[in-house]
């Protein structure tokens, strides 16, 4: 009897523990982020003779607006199809069909637009951007009938490139407009800028000092000359270290002068000619 009660207690504990584990797993799955529904976001798409890309999508949480860039670029010299352009933007909620939202475009450059979307529900799952490009319409060549009358060529509508890009709300940057201003005005300092700043030496007066070393034409007694030039508004100074020159003065000044090289006295007898006279 005791063994049966013990078995029932152990079985009950096992059931309770199993249910707790299952509950934790289900709760974890419920809080796990859903799979992204983005399609071709931040990818380069081929649209006839153009490449198209949509990126930099930002959700302004304080104004409930979504902005992104729409870019296109000609991939051939003169594309035959028209410039790609947006004709519709929709948004979708969970388990609901797409609904149209209001948007406006602003040209950033010749090949880039800033698109702003408004009037959508805050619980949206994704937005869908539809754009199109079109080849020109054309006619077949005219012909003539048996009586010589012109038969107009058949009309053909140009090919359409109808594409879309889908952006999941999870893949959008979320921030306020004030945060966006800070985000766009903080320019990173590149390694080149840092090295350029380190190479500039500024003297106390605020002028730039640039030191260069030049080597003149090689001779037996020439040495490299180091020139320091200081650029300022009112002055330009140049100093050079040159080769040593030995100057010989008269005998009266010889004792007072310091000469780096030994002085060599030359004693050569003077020759007198017959027509020389003593004075």
């Amino acid at each position: 009897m005791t063994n049966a009660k013990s078995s029932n207690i152990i079985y009950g504990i096992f059931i309770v523990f199993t249910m707790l584990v299952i509950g934790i797993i289900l709760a974890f799955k419920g809080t796990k982020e859903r799979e992204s529904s983005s399609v071709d976001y931040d990818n380069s798409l081929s649209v006839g003779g153009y490449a198209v890309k949509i990126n930099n999508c930002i959700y302004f949480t304080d104004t409930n607006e979504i902005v992104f860039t729409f870019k296109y670029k000609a991939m051939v010299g003169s594309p035959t199809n028209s410039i790609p352009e947006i004709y519709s933007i929709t948004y979708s909620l969970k388990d609901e069909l797409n609904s149209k939202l209001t948007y406006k475009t602003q040209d950033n450059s010749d090949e880039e637009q800033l698109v702003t979307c408004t009037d959508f529900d805050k619980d949206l799952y994704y937005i869908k951007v539809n754009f199109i490009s079109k080849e020109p319409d054309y006619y077949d060549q005219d012909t003539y009938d048996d009586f010589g009358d012109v038969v107009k060529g058949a009309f053909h509508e140009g090919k359409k490139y109808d594409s879309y890009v889908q952006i999941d709300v999870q893949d959008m940057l979320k921030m306020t407009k004030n945060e966006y201003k800070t985000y766009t005005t903080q320019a990173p300092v590149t390694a080149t800028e840092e090295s350029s700043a380190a190479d500039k030496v500024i003297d106390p007066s605020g002028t730039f000092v640039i030191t260069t070393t030049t080597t003149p034409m090689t001779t037996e007694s020439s040495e490299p000359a180091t020139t320091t030039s200081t650029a300022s508004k009112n002055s330009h100074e140049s100093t050079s270290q040159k080769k040593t020159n030995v100057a010989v003065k008269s005998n009266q000044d010889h004792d007072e002068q310091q000469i780096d090289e030994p002085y060599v006295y030359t004693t050569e007898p003077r020759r007198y000619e017959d027509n020389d006279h003593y004075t």
Side-chain angles (χ1 to χ4, degrees):
M1 188 67 178
T2 302
N3 292 336
K5 288 182 179 181
S6 299
S7 299
N8 291 335
I9 293 172
I10 294 173
Y11 179 74
I13 294 173
F14 174 77
I15 294 298
V16 171
F17 178 77
T18 303
M19 292 178 65
L20 287 174
V21 171
I22 293 173
I24 293 172
I25 293 174
L26 291 176
F28 177 76
K29 287 184 177 180
T31 57
K32 185 179 179 180
E33 195 172 27
R34 60 183 174 82
E35 186 177 355
S36 174
S37 57
S38 292
V39 178
D40 289 329
Y41 173 58
D42 205 16
N43 290 336
S44 179
L45 305 177
S46 178
V47 181
Y50 290 90
V52 175
K53 187 175 184 179
I54 292 179
N55 62 352
N56 298 330
C57 188
I58 303 175
Y59 187 169
F60 291 136
T61 55
D62 55 339
T63 59
N64 201 39
E65 294 176 309
I66 293 175
V67 298
F68 60 84
T69 55
F70 176 75
K71 300 187 288 188
Y72 56 88
K73 180 180 180 181
M75 302 306 294
V76 294
S78 299
T80 56
N81 56 308
S82 61
I83 294 174
E85 58 181 344
I86 298 172
Y87 68 88
S88 174
I89 302 179
T90 59
Y91 72 95
S92 176
L93 304 177
K94 183 179 180 181
D95 301 329
E96 289 186 15
L97 297 177
N98 292 348
S99 303
K100 286 190 175 182
L101 51 75
T102 304
Y103 69 92
K104 62 181 180 179
T105 61
Q106 176 183 346
D107 291 338
N108 286 345
S109 64
D110 293 339
E111 297 181 337
E112 179 177 318
Q113 294 178 335
L114 177 67
V115 184
T116 303
C117 307
T118 56
D119 299 333
F120 56 86
D121 195 295
K122 291 183 178 181
D123 296 328
L124 83 162
Y125 264 43
Y126 60 82
I127 65 172
K128 186 177 181 180
V129 184
N130 302 276
F131 53 93
I132 193 170
S133 177
K134 187 176 179 296
E135 298 282 357
D137 301 332
Y138 66 96
Y139 289 87
D140 288 337
Q141 187 175 3
D142 295 343
T143 58
Y144 297 89
D145 59 14
D146 296 336
F147 298 94
D149 296 329
V150 177
V151 178
K152 188 68 176 178
F155 171 78
H156 297 276
E157 186 177 3
K159 179 182 177 180
K160 293 182 179 179
Y161 301 92
D162 196 342
S163 307
Y164 75 93
V165 169
Q166 194 164 285
I167 311 172
D168 196 299
V169 69
Q170 296 178 142
D171 298 326
M172 302 177 187
L173 289 175
K174 297 179 180 65
M175 63 181 69
T176 64
K177 281 198 170 181
N178 286 334
E179 291 171 340
Y180 177 73
K181 291 178 182 179
T182 305
Y183 175 78
T184 54
T185 54
Q186 288 180 344
V189 179
T190 62
T192 303
E193 292 174 348
E194 290 178 350
S195 61
S196 298
D199 292 341
K200 294 178 181 178
V201 181
I202 303 177
D203 66 8
S205 63
T207 58
F208 289 98
V209 178
I210 305 173
T211 302
T212 58
T213 301
T214 59
T215 303
M217 295 180 60
T218 303
T219 61
E220 294 181 357
S221 59
S222 64
E223 298 177 356
T226 301
T227 302
T228 301
S229 299
T230 302
S232 63
K233 295 182 178 179
N234 300 319
S235 64
H236 177 78
E237 299 177 359
S238 177
T239 58
S240 301
Q241 180 182 354
K242 301 179 180 179
K243 63 180 181 178
T244 304
N245 294 324
V246 178
V248 180
K249 296 185 179 181
S250 62
N251 294 335
Q252 181 180 358
D253 297 331
H254 175 67
D255 296 334
E256 297 177 359
Q257 180 185 8
Q258 294 181 357
I259 301 176
D260 295 337
E261 295 182 0
Y263 182 83
V264 179
Y265 291 91
T266 303
T267 56
E268 182 176 357
R270 182 178 177 181
R271 295 180 181 178
Y272 293 94
E273 302 295 336
D274 295 338
N275 57 353
D276 288 345
H277 298 280
Y278 292 97
T279 57

